[in-house]
Amino acid sequence: MGDVRAHYLFTNDMRDSVLDSKAQEFACMFLNNTVPSANDNKSLNNSANTIGFYLNLINKGNVALVAANGDIRSVVLNFIKTFQYPNPRTKDSFIATVRDGIQLAPMREIIKILFLYNQIFPDKAYLTIDEIRHFVFFNEKIAFCKTLNRVEVINDIETYRASNELPSCIVPEDERDWNYESRQLSCFLGIMAWSGFIDIDKDGLVKLVIPRQDDLQYKAALLEVIMFNEYWEYGEIDINYISTEAFNALRTSYFNYCDQFILRNDKLNAIATSDIPSTPRQRIFFGAPGTGKSYSLNEEAKSLVSNKSNHIERVTFHPDYTYANFVGSYKPIMKQSDIACLDDDSKKVLSVLNNRTITTQEKYDALYESFKSTDGLTRLPIILGLYFDDSFETKKEDGTKASNNNSVERNHGRAIRKYVQLLSEESYKEKIAYEYVPGPFIRLLVKALQNPEAPYVLIVEEINRANVAAVFGDVFQLLDRNNDGESEYSITTTADMRAYLQRELGKDKDVTTIKIPSNLFIWATMNSADQGVYPMDTAFKRRWTFSYYGLDDEENNLSAAAIKPRFELGKSNKLISWNSLRKAINDELSTDTYNINEDKLMGPFFLKEEALKDNTSFNEAFKNKVLMYLFDDVVKQKRRSFFNCENSNRYSSICNAFDREGIKIFPDGVVNSKWLQEDESTISEDGEPRVTEV
């Protein structure tokens, strides 16, 4: 085995499925200095800094501004043409690549080779993934050479296809170091496919997308990549010792290099001088059950509002949910009794005044001491005069008879009786009253208007379980936001809503019409696989940013309890991991036999951590949740072929068979799945040992 001659490091986080939403979201976070610390949210901090490095958002320069404005295609184009090795992702990876003598801009190099291939051998103009590995990343004529002869490389590839022998310029396998090579290479290609430069066919052949004659925008982008030949120059450095300060300077230099080549669009100058666009205002997190939608939404919402719980309101839609629930309406409410807000002393006075078993004189005598102690003896005759017409004798503080029995005060009380509402026995009762009762939308709207500098998030769980057109009603008009994040159009308020808003916001506030302010976000989760969901019309969908959570996108965040084979099912002694079994079942359900849509498959968090604490908990949770879900929702029409047991149309029979046979109740495709074969220990990207299934 030779010495390692080629080191590469990339990431698993740059999935093309989340480029749009994540790039814009993280750009806004960097520009607004709202990236959470690792202590507050380790996962989000890691994702933001990883994507922020590769797309050059950390620098808060031109690229970040373009991304924040939503022009992600221009950001990715800049990434494809400028990303190179060496780069200062980490100090160790930078030093290793410099020592190797590598200088490679891999994505633009793949495009250039494919473009030239189309000119020379148009009928053979493709690259296999293995050819990209060998002839781009590990080719001395490409990765280690500053003067490139791509025609010679193409001829080498043709010779290799004919002979199946690699030329001597290719670095041997045992002299390569690239953890997660296959996965990260797929990530590179996924980004290029997302950008529209390449297409990967069903046989895995990578081909250049040939521009149409009238597609001037794509032609310009392709030409920009093909003609770009710059490299980041890091200058003279002592790679045996790079201080933290020196490494930070290298990163700044690299960021500035990448930033200077972004194609500025017409809006960039306006963006630079105006408020920074924020995270998408209306956003729907969707994917199969258990993919982590709700968790991710909650974590991002908490990060956005800096963990201020009173800045988030959560509501769950259901088939009976209405506009009145969501926005608000005039409703009957129980009002507390008139005396509920009084202090104890006042309540004692009222109890004496309303006591029908004693005379007015006895009431005076009963209240004399308490009013005497508060210098209120002159007020007591007024109060009794308010309530009663009969006479009573009054006393001074020393107990002697008062002059004229305080007749003046008593008469004052009787005179003003018609102008006041006396508290009586009826005042002790709660009453039904009608008031405008705001829903979660109006409640949070008021908070956002009262505090315009702070973000507020309204979270709607299961948004498609209600008829959204009916629930949102005229609020639908407010979902069109302008560049500042405020509603483009307003709606007219009803009289009862107007009265409520003025009571909360102040009489001087004009609330004849309302708009959603830029600091109010509405985020939702959706799972189209659920039974009893309502369809969304295109006009409604168009006003939302959709963040898709792929079936296995978040499995890297699973705990060891979910990954390690540690559960015995049935009478088998074979240890099985939850994640392996889940993937085996998903693969079988995806075959032509069942042809189940992805949104009905199971994500890694379909079972909660509590279900994985021990063997008993797992078996019970698997029966009560997984088997029930498969039985009721997924294979409802094909139970006999999916469940290998007698009476497979009875859930109880399936559970009993599972207790005896374990995974043998499933088809052979599950039992013999590659995911359930022998386990082996591997090393994760962060250097920690990890058990994975192969």
Side-chain angles (χ1 to χ4, degrees), residues 639-658 660-661 664-666:
R639 292 170 182 164
R640 293 185 185 277
S641 60
F642 190 76
F643 294 114
N644 183 22
C645 65
E646 293 183 6
N647 299 320
S648 56
N649 274 327
R650 294 181 183 175
Y651 173 65
S652 59
S653 298
I654 295 170
C655 289
N656 290 334
F658 177 77
R660 296 190 306 270
E661 305 295 333
K664 291 182 180 179
I665 68 165
F666 296 120

Side-chain angles (χ1 to χ4, degrees), residues 339-351 428:
I339 69 167
C341 59
L342 298 179
D343 58 47
D344 290 341
D345 289 338
S346 298
K347 289 177 181 178
K348 289 178 182 178
V349 171
L350 279 174
S351 67
Y428 287 83

